Amino acid sequence: MDVASELFPNGGWDVHHHIFDPSRFAYSPTRHLTPPPATIDQFIAFKKKLGISKSVLTHGLSYGSDCSSLRGFVADLGEGNSKAVGVIDPDTVTPDDLHDMHRAGIRGIRVNLYQYRAMHDVELQKAALRAHASAIQKHCPGWSMAFTHTHPEFWTELKPFIEEEIVPTGIRLVTDHFALLKGSSMASVEGVTHQPGFREILDLVRAGHLYVKISAPYRVSTQAPAYEDLKPLVRAFFDANPQRVLWGSDW
């Protein structure tokens, strides 16, 4: 039995990966990042190597809010094997746009905080989350809404906002990449459970209000390749609520 079949004996889901193919779909001129190509064929080879059966293709922010590439990539991967998370402009998206996205296999959105210049401003983050939730609430039952941010200390203010304004919408809120909590190799405090935002994040996970993706460990630890210092975080998430913990390769 190979390693892949031991990890995923009956197949498994990779809930966060990207496809970038600028030869087929041009990047947005306002992008903040220009990634190298990462093609359909390359991902399929990676998926087979790990034994993954299904995946959730996450729209790359380098494509902006134009989901044409996402629709094409999902079709290539086969909707039966892949769903997707898109990016929208909540000020211009229409119900017809959202219904077209759903028919194409898209089942959630990610909030582009760069668009709002909100990466370092918690009030702008609230505005972005509020606008995106309002755009999809009535037209996309069951969809998720994901976001990535670089300031775990903001969760002190985000927690009551999420409880009061996002939870009542019924939207499934997801945060990427360990919620950007750090392993001991990168944490600025003694003990990973004492870092800012840890308690608030765990409270939301425990209550079922927040999904956390175990993904992109290189963002929160320097202990590659096994990232041993992230074990306390993973254990804390699972002990809080294993039904709210997801895994993504960030391929």
Side-chain angles (χ1 to χ4, degrees), residues 88-91 93 98 130-140:
I88 63 171
D89 182 339
D91 294 328
V93 72
L98 295 170
R130 186 182 293 116
H132 282 73
S134 177
I136 68 171
Q137 178 184 2
K138 295 180 180 179
H139 307 289
C140 308

Side-chain angles (χ1 to χ4, degrees), residues 4 27 56 74 102 109 129 144 169 196-197 209 226 242 247:
Y27 291 145
V56 178
V74 171
H102 193 89
I109 58 172
L129 290 167
S144 64
T169 69
H209 299 331
W247 176 80

Side-chain angles (χ1 to χ4, degrees), residues 63-102:
Y63 283 115
S65 58
D66 181 354
C67 288
S68 300
S69 62
L70 190 67
R71 293 188 184 94
F73 296 148
V74 171
D76 291 341
L77 289 168
E79 189 183 334
N81 297 315
S82 181
K83 298 300 181 183
V85 172
V87 174
I88 63 171
D89 182 339
D91 294 328
T92 61
V93 72
T94 68
D96 286 343
D97 293 332
L98 295 170
H99 294 151
D100 287 344
M101 291 170 69
H102 193 89

Side-chain angles (χ1 to χ4, degrees), residues 1 17 19-20 61 66 74 77 86-87 99 104 111 123 126 132 144 151 165-166 172 175 182 202 228 236:
M1 181 178 290
H17 76 93
I19 300 292
F20 295 110
L61 299 182
D66 181 354
V74 171
L77 289 168
V87 174
H99 294 151
V111 179
E123 292 303 322
K126 292 178 186 177
H132 282 73
S144 64
H151 292 279
E165 296 196 37
I166 303 302
R172 299 173 182 178
T175 192
K182 305 296 191 293
L202 265 290
E228 292 287 338

